[in-house]
Amino acid sequence: MPTAVLDASGDLEFIAVVYGSRRELENLRNRLTKISPLHMRGIGKARRLKLAESFLKLLESKSKYVRVLCIYTGVHKLRKILKTRRTPSSKLELELKRAIALAVSSLLREIAVEVVEADTEVREILKIIGLSCRAGSLIGLADVAAWINRRYYGKRVKPYAKLFVERDLSPEIEKLAKKRLGKY
């Protein structure tokens, strides 16, 4: 069953999507580490780097079955661009989150997954548009990818650059948010 696991980092600046068959994702997770739940923030720096390296090496052998996608939302930049004196900040935040949710939802339809597991932050924004997803044991895979995305995004550091397909959704998110904020 095609499954996607999502994790956000940097206050929704980056969203990592790891997807493939559930069996292959579980296999990758089991080969990666026995730490449960897997969360990069709770691990020391040296261990995080080692875990990231192991993740990338395992992905190379499973690249036909498991894919990783780095989504750059540009939300920090968009907050500055879209903020006006007349726009309430709560309204701006809601519309940015709605736009991110719509863009991510469109991407999930594009990659044709049936099951979506996400961290709390992503689940909350997807709930805004009525898309339900669940928590699960595989989210740690996306957490590792999100950590790598945030640390190396835009830097062509090998081996990171060759494995992650980057999707800059910020223009799409800006367009969606501007449309909704047009009356302010």
Side-chain angles (χ1 to χ4, degrees):
M1 177 180 310
T3 301
V5 289
L6 289 80
D7 186 81
S9 65
D11 189 28
L12 292 172
E13 188 78 7
F14 299 96
I15 299 174
V17 181
V18 181
Y19 62 100
S21 77
R22 179 142 195 106
R23 188 164 30 127
E24 289 296 334
L25 291 173
E26 287 172 348
N27 187 14
L28 177 64
R29 168 72 174 90
N30 292 336
R31 290 183 63 199
L32 183 62
T33 183
K34 298 299 179 207
I35 298 171
S36 186
L38 175 58
H39 198 328
M40 294 294 268
R41 187 179 298 163
I43 302 171
K45 185 178 180 180
R47 178 79 172 117
R48 280 192 301 248
L49 290 170
K50 196 171 190 166
L51 197 60
E53 290 293 330
S54 297
F55 178 74
L56 293 169
K57 284 179 185 167
L58 286 169
L59 270 180
E60 283 181 343
S61 66
K62 298 206 166 285
S63 61
K64 291 179 183 174
Y65 310 106
V66 176
R67 300 269 187 225
V68 179
L69 183 62
C70 167
I71 299 171
Y72 173 69
T73 66
V75 74
H76 297 303
K77 178 182 73 174
L78 293 175
R79 279 188 187 108
K80 292 175 186 173
I81 291 171
L82 298 172
K83 179 69 179 149
T84 66
R85 278 189 249 166
R86 295 184 315 224
T87 308
S89 57
S90 59
K91 179 70 174 170
L92 175 64
E93 285 303 310
L94 177 65
E95 294 307 335
L96 279 172
K97 286 178 180 179
R98 186 183 319 264
I100 291 168
L102 288 168
V104 169
S105 171
S106 174
L107 183 72
L108 290 173
R109 278 191 306 276
E110 186 180 306
I111 61 176
V113 293
E114 294 176 20
V115 176
V116 178
E117 294 183 5
D119 71 339
T120 305
E121 198 171 13
V122 176
R123 280 196 316 270
E124 286 175 5
I125 66 161
L126 292 177
K127 192 188 310 182
I128 293 170
I129 63 165
L131 183 64
S132 64
C133 51
R134 61 185 187 202
S137 61
L138 297 174
I139 295 170
L141 294 174
D143 187 57
V144 175
W147 182 84
I148 294 169
N149 290 341
R150 187 163 185 216
R151 185 175 174 117
Y152 295 103
Y153 184 80
K155 300 172 187 164
R156 297 293 171 210
V157 179
K158 293 195 180 206
Y160 304 102
K162 66 183 179 181
L163 287 174
F164 293 92
V165 176
E166 296 171 3
R167 281 292 280 275
D168 184 351
L169 292 182
S170 60
E172 183 179 342
I173 293 166
E174 181 178 9
K175 183 179 171 184
L176 290 166
K178 272 184 178 177
K179 186 176 181 181
R180 301 273 308 183
L181 290 167
K183 60 187 169 208
Y184 289 96

